[in-house]
Amino acid sequence: VDVGLRWLLNAPIEGQADIAEALLPIIIAATFVSAAWGRPHVGIRFAGAVLGRTRRGILDVLSDLSIAVFLALIVIQFWGYAGEIAEEHRQTWVLQIPLYPFWYATAVLLGVTTAVQLLNVVVNARAGDESATRDAAA
């Protein structure tokens, strides 16, 4: 709509960039939750055939656990960043929207992603046979 208004009437939507600046981190974080839940990502198992089912399962659990730890570290960083933004009273340029609630919401969504990833760790650790491996965890 903004592009159309700019092109046809030379009248852009005021504050459209502000809204995008506030919502984009939340939108991206929501896709992380979806990815952790649906597990559409690709895994490479070059050593699985050599190591056997048990060792491959251990590697899968360690892989999932390392992702969960990494996500937890990201949550800590985002939460701290949201706090900095709140202390500095940062806001968008045109509409003067405070940015810190959006960054806290992003951190919360990434926290949900971390929780889902920890659930994946538990499910994969309990997977005992080939049909219940990480590919079927979701």
mmCIF file of all heavy atoms in Angstrom, residues 1-9 12-13:
data_model
loop_
_atom_site.group_PDB
_atom_site.id
_atom_site.type_symbol
_atom_site.label_atom_id
_atom_site.label_comp_id
_atom_site.label_asym_id
_atom_site.label_seq_id
_atom_site.Cartn_x
_atom_site.Cartn_y
_atom_site.Cartn_z
ATOM 1 N N VAL A 1 0.835 -1.189 0.000
ATOM 2 C CA VAL A 1 0.000 0.000 0.000
ATOM 3 C C VAL A 1 0.879 1.253 0.000
ATOM 4 O O VAL A 1 0.618 2.205 -0.724
ATOM 5 C CB VAL A 1 -0.958 0.000 1.212
ATOM 6 C CG1 VAL A 1 -1.708 1.295 1.325
ATOM 7 C CG2 VAL A 1 -1.920 -1.164 1.124
ATOM 8 N N ASP A 2 1.932 1.220 0.826
ATOM 9 C CA ASP A 2 2.821 2.375 0.905
ATOM 10 C C ASP A 2 3.477 2.652 -0.449
ATOM 11 O O ASP A 2 3.512 3.802 -0.906
ATOM 12 C CB ASP A 2 3.889 2.145 1.978
ATOM 13 C CG ASP A 2 4.783 3.353 2.161
ATOM 14 O OD1 ASP A 2 4.248 4.462 2.378
ATOM 15 O OD2 ASP A 2 6.016 3.190 2.084
ATOM 16 N N VAL A 3 3.948 1.611 -1.100
ATOM 17 C CA VAL A 3 4.595 1.779 -2.411
ATOM 18 C C VAL A 3 3.589 2.318 -3.425
ATOM 19 O O VAL A 3 3.892 3.223 -4.201
ATOM 20 C CB VAL A 3 5.205 0.450 -2.896
ATOM 21 C CG1 VAL A 3 5.693 0.561 -4.327
ATOM 22 C CG2 VAL A 3 6.333 0.010 -1.974
ATOM 23 N N GLY A 4 2.371 1.767 -3.409
ATOM 24 C CA GLY A 4 1.337 2.238 -4.329
ATOM 25 C C GLY A 4 0.989 3.698 -4.102
ATOM 26 O O GLY A 4 0.844 4.468 -5.062
ATOM 27 N N LEU A 5 0.855 4.094 -2.847
ATOM 28 C CA LEU A 5 0.546 5.492 -2.550
ATOM 29 C C LEU A 5 1.691 6.417 -2.952
ATOM 30 O O LEU A 5 1.456 7.526 -3.440
ATOM 31 C CB LEU A 5 0.218 5.669 -1.068
ATOM 32 C CG LEU A 5 -1.133 5.127 -0.615
ATOM 33 C CD1 LEU A 5 -1.258 5.201 0.900
ATOM 34 C CD2 LEU A 5 -2.263 5.890 -1.287
ATOM 35 N N ARG A 6 2.911 5.957 -2.758
ATOM 36 C CA ARG A 6 4.061 6.771 -3.177
ATOM 37 C C ARG A 6 4.058 6.951 -4.696
ATOM 38 O O ARG A 6 4.326 8.031 -5.212
ATOM 39 C CB ARG A 6 5.381 6.103 -2.760
ATOM 40 C CG ARG A 6 5.695 6.211 -1.302
ATOM 41 C CD ARG A 6 6.970 5.426 -0.980
ATOM 42 N NE ARG A 6 7.174 5.311 0.436
ATOM 43 C CZ ARG A 6 7.914 6.148 1.147
ATOM 44 N NH1 ARG A 6 8.532 7.142 0.566
ATOM 45 N NH2 ARG A 6 8.043 5.979 2.442
ATOM 46 N N TRP A 7 3.786 5.868 -5.409
ATOM 47 C CA TRP A 7 3.855 5.891 -6.860
ATOM 48 C C TRP A 7 2.686 6.667 -7.466
ATOM 49 O O TRP A 7 2.881 7.499 -8.348
ATOM 50 C CB TRP A 7 3.872 4.454 -7.373
ATOM 51 C CG TRP A 7 3.987 4.336 -8.860
ATOM 52 C CD1 TRP A 7 5.014 4.751 -9.647
ATOM 53 C CD2 TRP A 7 3.013 3.780 -9.728
ATOM 54 N NE1 TRP A 7 4.748 4.480 -10.960
ATOM 55 C CE2 TRP A 7 3.507 3.868 -11.036
ATOM 56 C CE3 TRP A 7 1.764 3.207 -9.529
ATOM 57 C CZ2 TRP A 7 2.814 3.409 -12.138
ATOM 58 C CZ3 TRP A 7 1.072 2.741 -10.633
ATOM 59 C CH2 TRP A 7 1.601 2.847 -11.914
ATOM 60 N N LEU A 8 1.474 6.409 -6.983
ATOM 61 C CA LEU A 8 0.300 7.032 -7.579
ATOM 62 C C LEU A 8 0.068 8.472 -7.123
ATOM 63 O O LEU A 8 -0.238 9.339 -7.935
ATOM 64 C CB LEU A 8 -0.958 6.209 -7.259
ATOM 65 C CG LEU A 8 -1.050 4.849 -7.927
ATOM 66 C CD1 LEU A 8 -2.252 4.089 -7.381
ATOM 67 C CD2 LEU A 8 -1.168 5.004 -9.438
ATOM 68 N N LEU A 9 0.197 8.707 -5.837
ATOM 69 C CA LEU A 9 -0.204 10.003 -5.298
ATOM 70 C C LEU A 9 0.945 10.788 -4.658
ATOM 71 O O LEU A 9 0.723 11.871 -4.125
ATOM 72 C CB LEU A 9 -1.306 9.804 -4.248
ATOM 73 C CG LEU A 9 -2.542 9.037 -4.711
ATOM 74 C CD1 LEU A 9 -3.470 8.767 -3.542
ATOM 75 C CD2 LEU A 9 -3.261 9.808 -5.805
ATOM 76 N N PRO A 12 3.257 8.901 0.771
ATOM 77 C CA PRO A 12 3.571 7.684 1.520
ATOM 78 C C PRO A 12 2.820 7.642 2.847
ATOM 79 O O PRO A 12 2.336 8.664 3.346
ATOM 80 C CB PRO A 12 5.074 7.798 1.759
ATOM 81 C CG PRO A 12 5.341 9.261 1.750
ATOM 82 C CD PRO A 12 4.369 9.844 0.748
ATOM 83 N N ILE A 13 2.728 6.460 3.404
ATOM 84 C CA ILE A 13 2.129 6.306 4.728
ATOM 85 C C ILE A 13 3.148 6.791 5.751
ATOM 86 O O ILE A 13 4.256 6.276 5.831
ATOM 87 C CB ILE A 13 1.761 4.841 4.997
ATOM 88 C CG1 ILE A 13 0.700 4.366 4.007
ATOM 89 C CG2 ILE A 13 1.282 4.662 6.439
ATOM 90 C CD1 ILE A 13 0.395 2.887 4.102
#
